Amino acid sequence: QVQLVESGGGLVQAGGSLRLSCAASGRTFSSYTMGWFHQAPGKERSFVAYISRSGTSTYYADSVKGRFTISRDNAKNTVYLQMNSLKPEDTAVYYCAASSRYYSDYRQGAYDYWGRGTQVTVSS
């Protein structure tokens, strides 16, 4: 069982930055691919980024590529999402998730554990 708790959300102006954190419980954090997803008002939850278990491989949705960076610190059981050049369309609840599958995956069904989310609001 893994428990995930996101933090770092808030209100920011367009063009600004935020850094989200996701703290995981348990001693096997490094055995999970970690992902970030978001859900905008009135829309379905969608993929943002993932990072492999070792942190050597990352993958991003086209909408955030070049603006967002995912990273992890396995010693601290934490995954991060650095969000730069934020746009109003980035407004959403952001969730982190953990996948125990051998291969990293961007699909939500591959993730076994989810946090409760943190709200990010970008004003124009």
Side-chain angles (χ1 to χ4, degrees):
Q1 187 79 9
V2 176
Q3 292 186 328
L4 304 172
V5 179
E6 302 95 336
S7 62
L11 173 64
V12 63
Q13 288 188 334
S17 298
L18 280 175
R19 188 195 196 201
L20 305 184
S21 299
C22 173
S25 65
R27 296 176 291 178
T28 59
F29 178 73
S30 60
S31 65
Y32 293 93
T33 290
M34 297 301 296
W36 285 98
F37 295 79
H38 65 188
Q39 185 168 18
K43 295 187 178 181
E44 294 185 352
R45 189 165 58 187
S46 61
F47 170 77
V48 175
Y50 74 60
I51 187 166
S52 63
R53 292 174 291 178
S54 65
T56 56
S57 176
T58 58
Y59 183 69
Y60 298 91
D62 287 344
S63 60
V64 306
K65 202 171 295 183
R67 299 189 297 123
F68 290 11
T69 302
I70 188 171
S71 61
R72 68 189 296 162
D73 185 337
N74 286 344
K76 295 183 178 180
N77 283 13
T78 303
V79 61
Y80 305 97
L81 186 68
Q82 178 67 44
M83 306 187 294
N84 298 330
S85 302
L86 282 161
K87 304 175 181 179
E89 51 264 43
D90 294 320
T91 295
V93 177
Y94 283 73
Y95 300 89
C96 74
S99 171
S100 60
R101 295 194 180 186
Y102 184 79
Y103 293 104
S104 298
D105 202 315
Y106 65 90
R107 292 171 292 186
Q108 295 186 52
Y111 290 80
D112 308 289
Y113 303 101
W114 293 82
R116 294 189 174 184
T118 186
Q119 176 70 46
V120 171
T121 303
V122 184
S123 63
S124 57

